[in-house]
Amino acid sequence: MYDKMFPPKQIVLPSGKVVYQKRTRLPLIAVIVIAAVYYSVELTDFNLHKLVTRIGEFFVLIDAMIPPDWSSWHKMSTALLDTLQMSLLGSLLGSLLAVPFAIAASSNIVRSRIVVALFKTILSLLRTLPTLVTALIATFVFGLGPMAGVVAITLFTISYVGKLLYEQIENADMGPFEAMESLGMTRIQAFRNAVVPQVLPGYLSTSIFCFEGNVRYASILGLVGAGGIGLLIKEDIGWRDYPGVGMIILALVVTVYLIETVSEHIRKKLI
Amino acid sequence: MMTTVERQLLTSPRKIWYRLAITFIAIILIGWSVGAVSFKDVNQSGFQIAFNIVKGIVHPDLDLLFNVSKQSVPYLLVQTLAIAFLGTIVGGILSVPLAFLAASNVVPRPVAWLTRLLLIVIRTIPELVYGLMFIKVATGPLAGVLTIGIVSIGMLAKLYVDAIEELDVKVLESMTSIGCTTFEKIRYGIMPQLLSVFLSVTIYRFDMNMREASILGLVGAGGIGAPLIFAMNSYKWDQAGSILIGLVILILLIELVSNKMRARLVKG
């Protein structure tokens, strides 16, 4: 339709041939983006004047966090370990449970199209729910504490690892699988010996990567009462104990950086 | 008489100790993490609540889902969308200079290293902590926009840096050799290489920000999170159900659109 309103430019080449250059879509895109920005500004009360005058407060807060309160280390370290424990267990359970889901959602392994569509929908619905909402629901069912956090992280991990795993299974080379079936292996044996070796490194690498992200998620789950360091952050900010917050943030940054480095090293070895 | 296969098998490096060590560490870690499991707080009311949640999602509050007042689901969803959109734009704009400062082929190494350190710190601090801090700067949706903006920087700048470091400099050399000015080199040599990657990454981040923005309400930074939490804490599962349904549909829609747009950008 856009081409009808603004007909393409004709260019006559030296050889006498006529070619068309489509008009640029830039003005249309620019108008859409500007309109979207305008309405977003209206809806969010975005006010540059207020922002410029008040943004200093943010740096005052950061200033108050330096130097961190080293003495709160003891109180914080147990919460930090809880957070790590939650994310490790959640990632482990989640990546194990993701396997059956992923197999049931791969169209080259399961023949029934209804089953495949059903499991793909389940995985994408699980992925849509924000982790914090899942955690909140889990606190109602499993009570306050790390258990709710574990459940929330498990569910998120299933959806994330599950999706990447079924994509890998679907992209796997099915030649060996067919060859093994033709030799008289059962489908399960053929899957074990032909598909698993192809997807295993990728699966392990995704699981470890997911664990890395889960540590970050786990650190905020405490805000809804699902255990870990989040509760401490909320309390410290509520009581304006900013050096304490600084200590927590410092510890988180160091921990996440360490885990990231180790996981990057392992993942490089895997692939 | 050994066959070639056997000989190959015997010469392969023995990694048994390495593997045993890895297995041992893994088992210790798993054993330690199981300590987080406890079913002591699970009781009859837990299952009753789980049942109620499902019931609420199946029987949502239709009035809340379809009217157009300021408390309704559509209005709040659009507000969440606006927070995510504006936040992505703010984050995207701020990321560009940071990314150039962190690219080791543009600035000297120490500068690049320092900027990278800053980016790691920005990326590690959890989103809601920024939310709690920005609440002191500005109330409501504006705090949400700022939060989304700053959490976007962490990821966007990192991916921008990768694109900048992979720039094909041969194009620039050949442009110099035919006498292009600096401006022309940027416009025709650098922009075409970077723009599509930057846009694709930014659209992907917008998709993620939609999810992040939906929970910001928990700390009072606007969007649909706050009504959702209120509805849940007061056990109004039908309202929570209608909010969740709206949220899931919107997020799936955005994901679909963003995937389409990115596929077109990559194809060119």
Side-chain angles (χ1 to χ4, degrees):
Chain A
M1 200 176 83
Y2 192 77
D3 285 331
K4 272 185 194 153
M5 280 162 69
F6 301 96
K9 189 162 90 180
Q10 282 190 14
I11 301 174
V12 183
L13 298 180
S15 61
K17 204 178 165 196
V18 180
V19 290
Y20 295 98
Q21 185 188 20
K22 279 189 180 170
R23 297 279 177 184
T24 168
R25 256 90 168 146
L26 198 66
L28 180 70
I29 295 172
V31 166
I32 293 175
V33 169
I34 288 171
V37 169
Y38 176 76
Y39 280 107
S40 303
V41 167
E42 289 279 295
L43 271 166
T44 56
D45 312 322
F46 193 85
N47 183 333
L48 212 56
H49 175 69
K50 198 164 140 197
L51 188 62
V52 172
T53 48
R54 302 271 302 163
I55 195 71
E57 292 284 308
F58 181 68
F59 294 102
V60 169
L61 277 185
I62 291 187
D63 192 46
M65 287 180 193
I66 304 168
D69 175 12
W70 301 104
S71 59
S72 67
W73 163 254
H74 185 71
K75 178 177 74 167
M76 190 204 67
S77 57
T78 39
L80 188 65
L81 282 179
D82 261 358
T83 309
L84 286 179
Q85 208 176 16
M86 261 161 55
S87 41
L88 187 62
L89 187 65
S91 316
L92 187 76
L93 288 177
S95 34
L96 289 179
L97 287 171
V99 175
F101 275 90
I103 293 174
S106 347
S107 54
N108 53 350
I109 306 292
V110 175
R111 291 205 184 100
S112 154
R113 289 181 64 182
I114 302 169
V115 174
V116 170
L118 179 73
F119 277 88
K120 277 190 179 158
T121 320
I122 292 178
L123 284 179
S124 61
L125 280 183
L126 270 182
R127 210 152 30 88
T128 327
L129 279 181
T131 321
L132 215 60
V133 175
T134 335
L136 190 65
I137 296 176
T139 53
F140 287 120
V141 181
F142 293 93
L144 297 174
M147 189 61 199
V150 172
V151 173
I153 292 175
T154 307
L155 286 176
F156 172 75
T157 310
I158 291 180
S159 67
Y160 181 80
V161 176
K163 176 171 193 265
L164 290 173
L165 184 59
Y166 83 66
E167 278 173 1
Q168 274 169 354
I169 296 180
E170 284 182 347
N171 286 329
D173 179 11
M174 290 305 275
F177 184 83
E178 280 168 27
M180 287 178 182
E181 259 196 318
S182 74
L183 283 171
M185 283 192 183
T186 62
R187 282 178 73 82
I188 295 172
Q189 280 173 328
F191 182 80
R192 161 72 189 80
N193 291 303
V195 181
V196 171
Q198 288 184 52
V199 298
L200 194 61
Y203 164 67
L204 288 178
S205 150
T206 339
S207 306
I208 293 171
F209 182 69
C210 193
F211 167 65
E212 199 184 305
N214 282 343
V215 176
R216 268 169 239 206
Y217 279 122
S219 61
I220 54 166
L221 289 183
L223 284 172
V224 295
I229 206 162
L231 186 64
L232 223 54
I233 297 179
K234 196 181 173 184
E235 279 175 358
D236 279 356
I237 290 185
W239 294 336
R240 295 167 193 263
D241 176 11
Y242 296 120
V245 180
M247 184 66 216
I248 295 175
I249 290 177
L250 182 68
L252 265 181
V253 171
V254 173
T255 317
V256 171
Y257 182 70
L258 283 179
I259 291 179
E260 234 175 62
T261 316
V262 173
S263 113
E264 236 167 63
H265 171 77
I266 300 177
R267 284 188 289 129
K268 252 186 206 150
K269 280 208 148 184
L270 275 171
I271 293 178
Chain B
M1 185 68 193
M2 277 198 290
T3 60
T4 334
V5 177
E6 271 178 76
R7 218 174 297 135
Q8 191 65 40
L9 187 68
L10 285 178
T11 52
S12 71
R14 292 298 168 89
K15 284 190 184 163
I16 177 125
W17 286 109
Y18 179 72
R19 286 194 180 153
L20 269 180
I22 298 267
T23 319
F24 186 67
I25 294 173
I27 288 176
I28 296 259
L29 282 176
I30 292 165
W32 170 67
S33 71
V34 171
V37 181
S38 103
F39 286 101
K40 66 178 189 322
D41 290 329
V42 186
N43 46 29
Q44 203 56 42
S45 72
F47 290 106
Q48 186 59 43
I49 289 171
F51 175 72
N52 282 343
I53 294 171
V54 174
K55 207 171 119 191
I57 290 172
V58 181
H59 300 282
D61 186 343
L62 289 177
D63 182 44
L64 196 66
L65 196 53
F66 291 119
N67 75 9
V68 275
S69 72
K70 275 207 163 185
Q71 270 84 42
S72 71
V73 173
Y75 177 82
L76 289 166
L77 282 178
V78 173
Q79 194 188 45
T80 313
L81 194 65
I83 292 174
F85 181 75
L86 216 54
T88 314
I89 287 191
V90 170
I93 292 172
L94 290 177
S95 297
V96 174
L98 279 174
F100 277 100
L101 280 177
S104 53
N105 56 349
V106 180
V107 291
R109 276 199 171 271
V111 180
W113 189 81
L114 268 180
T115 322
R116 270 163 194 251
L117 194 70
L118 177 70
L119 288 181
I120 289 177
V121 174
I122 291 181
R123 207 166 57 233
T124 319
I125 300 176
E127 179 206 0
L128 284 184
V129 176
Y130 288 120
L132 285 169
M133 283 159 75
F134 278 122
I135 280 297
K136 316 251 171 190
V137 177
T139 47
L142 181 55
V145 172
L146 295 176
T147 309
I148 295 289
I150 201 163
V151 287
S152 305
I153 290 177
M155 187 185 112
L156 285 179
K158 183 169 187 266
L159 293 173
Y160 287 180
V161 171
D162 291 347
I164 294 171
E165 289 189 336
E166 278 167 19
L167 264 182
D168 186 0
V169 277
K170 283 185 209 143
V171 180
L172 299 185
E173 277 169 28
S174 61
M175 289 179 95
T176 319
S177 72
I178 58 171
C180 288
T181 61
T182 313
F183 175 75
E184 282 168 339
K185 276 196 277 185
I186 293 174
R187 170 66 187 83
Y188 295 102
I190 298 178
M191 288 263 283
Q193 287 188 52
L194 292 186
L195 204 60
S196 67
V197 182
F198 278 20
L199 273 180
S200 159
V201 170
T202 313
I203 292 172
Y204 179 61
R205 183 65 220 189
F206 172 61
D207 184 358
M208 284 171 74
N209 279 344
M210 205 39 232
R211 277 156 229 237
E212 312 255 312
S214 65
I215 55 168
L216 277 177
L218 187 76
V219 294
I224 200 156
L228 180 60
I229 307 286
F230 287 145
M232 283 183 163
N233 280 339
S234 52
Y235 298 96
K236 286 182 186 144
W237 299 116
D238 55 340
Q239 289 186 9
S242 63
I243 294 175
L244 278 179
I245 291 175
L247 193 61
V248 165
I249 293 176
L250 184 67
I251 290 181
L252 284 180
L253 266 181
I254 300 273
E255 197 180 304
L256 204 72
V257 173
S258 104
N259 280 347
K260 281 247 165 74
M261 278 165 81
R262 283 191 298 132
R264 277 193 66 171
L265 269 175
V266 170
K267 271 191 282 175

